[in-house]
């Protein structure tokens, strides 16, 4: 019995050894798996940290972009306000149409020419009545859209005021293509009246100088361009020349008087002294001498720094 018990114990011991070895092998395998899992966790943590850093960098970039977008939106809002204020304050008429000649925008000044209200935005311009005598308005817009040209015309409204109408293509910088047309109305009634009065004054001055036998001259001191009347050409016997210069006139002056005339001209230009001088000139191709009196002064073109030396010249031979 004891021998059998010992044998049984030995068999149980062997079995326990086998289980223990199996358990050890399982533990070793689990340890290796745990180590591999830990390594994977460490790698995953490193990847997660890298991803977090990338996300942080992306968030910073997004914040920068968002800030730039806010700045751009603020600039566009300000620009839009400037444009709206420009349109609101623009007393001259100005309207925009697209390529289909549909009304897209207009300034308040346009209301005196075109019978527009806010509900007309998007409507064909041809369906809107006008207060101006401008039958070719739509034709001109079509021509501008087709050719990209600029068209200027003078038209009258129903109150007999005159306007210069400029029709130009509407271009965008993004593609430099025509996306419509801009029509501008400029009131030139007062300008036309002043121009008419100036033409009358010039005609009266011309008649007065012609009847008095006087010639006119004007020198642009910036370009040295000389403008003379036909009477002055007659006095200097230079009518055959289509255009005469300061040199042409000097060549007609008696040689011993040239320096005196030049000095007087210089004194007027440099010191503002009124030009008033008498001197002889060759008034005929046969070298016949005539005495003339020239008076002149400096004038400045309004709104610029361009000065002119202008004056009158008269044949005083009989007087001398």
């Amino acid at each position: 019995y004891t021998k059998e018990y010992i044998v049984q114990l030995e068999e149980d011991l062997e079995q326990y050894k086998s289980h223990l070895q199996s358990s050890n092998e399982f533990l070793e395998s689990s340890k290796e798996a745990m180590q591999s899992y830990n390594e994977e966790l460490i790698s995953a943590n490193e990847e997660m940290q890298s991803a977090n850093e990338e996300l942080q960098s992306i968030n910073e970039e997004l914040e920068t972009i968002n800030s730039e977008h806010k700045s751009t939106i603020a600039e566009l809002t300000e620009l839009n306000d400037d444009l709206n204020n420009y349109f609101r304050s623009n007393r001259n008429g100005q309207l925009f149409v697209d390529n289909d000649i549909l009304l897209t925008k207009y300034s308040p000044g346009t209301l005196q020419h075109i019978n527009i209200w806010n509900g007309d935005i998007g409507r064909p311009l041809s369906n809107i009545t006008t207060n101006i005598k401008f039958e070719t308005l739509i034709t001109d817009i079509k021509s501008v859209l087709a050719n990209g040209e600029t068209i200027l015309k003078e038209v009258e409204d129903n109150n007999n005021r005159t306007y210069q109408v400029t029709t130009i293509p509407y271009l965008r910088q993004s593609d430099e293509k025509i996306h419509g047309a801009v029509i501008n109305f400029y009131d030139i009634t007062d300008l036309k009246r002043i121009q008419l009065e100036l033409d009358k004054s010039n005609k009266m001055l011309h008649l007065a100088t012609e009847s008095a036998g006087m010639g006119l001259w004007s020198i642009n001191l910036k370009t040295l361009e000389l403008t003379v009347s036909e009477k002055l050409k007659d006095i200097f016997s230079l009518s055959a020349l289509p255009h005469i210069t300061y040199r042409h006139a000097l060549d007609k002056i008696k040689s011993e008087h040239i320096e005196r005339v030049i000095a007087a001209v210089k004194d007027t230009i440099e010191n503002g002294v009124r030009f008033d001088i008498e001197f002889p000139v060759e008034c005929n191709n046969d070298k016949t001498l005539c005495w003339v009196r020239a008076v002149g002064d400096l004038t400045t073109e309004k709104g610029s720094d361009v000065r002119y030396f202008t004056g009158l010249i008269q044949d005083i031979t009989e007087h001398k």
Side-chain angles (χ1 to χ4, degrees):
Y1 173 77
T2 301
K3 187 178 180 179
E4 292 177 354
Y5 179 72
I6 291 172
V7 171
Q8 182 65 39
L9 287 175
E10 290 177 349
E11 290 178 355
D12 290 340
L13 183 59
E14 288 295 327
Q15 188 174 2
Y16 289 146
K17 283 183 178 180
S18 176
H19 285 309
L20 183 59
Q21 185 177 0
S22 177
S23 297
N24 285 333
E25 291 175 354
F26 176 75
L27 286 174
E28 287 294 328
S29 175
S30 297
K31 184 178 179 181
E32 291 176 357
M34 185 66 71
Q35 185 176 357
S36 176
Y37 179 68
N38 285 334
E39 291 175 353
E40 290 179 359
L41 281 177
I42 292 171
S43 177
N45 284 331
E46 291 175 351
E47 291 178 357
M48 184 70 72
Q49 185 176 357
S50 176
N52 285 334
E53 291 174 354
E54 290 180 1
L55 283 174
Q56 186 176 356
S57 176
I58 291 172
N59 283 333
E60 291 174 354
E61 291 179 2
L62 287 174
E63 288 179 2
T64 302
I65 293 172
N66 188 44
S67 177
E68 291 175 352
H69 281 173
K70 286 182 180 179
S71 177
T72 302
I73 290 172
E75 290 177 1
L76 289 174
T77 301
E78 185 177 351
L79 179 60
N80 190 54
D81 289 341
D82 290 343
L83 286 174
N84 287 332
N85 283 317
Y86 164 74
F87 279 112
R88 190 164 56 249
S89 63
N90 187 6
R91 298 180 62 183
N92 293 312
Q94 190 173 52
L95 59 86
F96 292 73
V97 296
D98 61 16
N99 284 330
D100 296 320
I101 318 185
L102 302 179
L103 181 65
T104 59
K105 200 174 186 66
Y106 64 91
S107 70
T110 312
L111 298 178
Q112 59 185 319
H113 313 299
I114 313 292
N115 299 317
I116 304 174
W117 67 295
N118 288 336
D120 288 327
I121 298 296
R123 288 186 58 200
L125 187 61
S126 58
N127 292 351
I128 303 173
T129 59
T130 69
N131 300 318
I132 53 177
K133 303 168 185 177
F134 195 5
E135 294 79 7
T136 63
L137 174 60
I138 303 301
T139 303
D140 288 351
I141 293 174
K142 289 180 179 179
S143 179
V144 168
L145 294 176
N147 305 317
E149 59 185 352
T150 296
I151 298 178
L152 279 78
K153 286 189 176 178
E154 290 185 7
V155 300
E156 290 186 353
D157 65 6
N158 295 333
N159 296 319
N160 294 322
R161 295 194 67 82
T162 305
Y163 293 86
Q164 183 185 75
V165 181
T166 306
T167 308
I168 63 175
Y170 178 75
L171 302 175
R172 288 181 180 162
Q173 292 183 352
S174 57
D175 55 15
E176 289 296 328
K177 292 182 179 179
I178 298 175
H179 291 269
V182 185
I183 302 93
N184 300 287
F185 299 86
Y186 301 99
D187 190 339
I188 59 172
T189 306
D190 294 337
L191 179 62
K192 295 289 287 185
R193 176 180 55 78
I194 293 172
Q195 190 177 44
L196 181 61
E197 292 176 356
L198 184 60
D199 288 342
K200 289 181 180 179
S201 297
N202 286 336
K203 287 180 180 178
M204 291 176 64
L205 177 62
H206 177 72
L207 290 173
T209 54
E210 286 293 319
S211 62
M214 294 181 178
L216 300 172
W217 89 82
S218 177
I219 301 175
N220 184 322
L221 298 184
K222 189 173 185 178
T223 64
L224 299 181
E225 180 182 3
L226 173 65
T227 304
V228 300
S229 68
E230 289 299 322
K231 184 61 180 177
L232 187 143
K233 286 185 177 182
D234 290 341
I235 293 174
F236 280 81
S237 297
L238 293 171
S239 298
L241 298 177
H243 176 71
I244 69 172
T245 64
Y246 182 46
R247 185 73 256 173
H248 287 140
L250 288 178
D251 288 342
K252 286 288 185 176
I253 300 174
K254 189 73 172 172
S255 58
E256 59 265 31
H257 293 272
I258 290 180
E259 289 186 5
R260 184 168 60 90
V261 174
I262 292 176
V265 171
K266 183 179 180 181
D267 199 20
T268 299
I269 294 174
E270 294 182 355
N271 304 314
V273 177
R274 188 171 185 271
F275 185 74
D276 190 344
I277 190 171
E278 296 177 0
F279 52 90
V281 298
E282 295 176 0
C283 56
N284 292 299
N285 293 329
D286 60 1
K287 307 295 183 180
T288 302
L289 292 182
C290 297
W291 277 85
V292 297
R293 180 189 178 192
V295 294
D297 213 337
L298 297 178
T299 59
T300 302
E301 187 176 275
K302 188 176 180 181
S304 74
D305 59 350
V306 179
R307 295 192 307 160
Y308 291 87
F309 180 26
T310 59
L312 299 168
I313 195 164
Q314 185 178 23
D315 187 337
I316 59 170
T317 304
E318 292 186 9
H319 174 73
K320 294 292 287 188

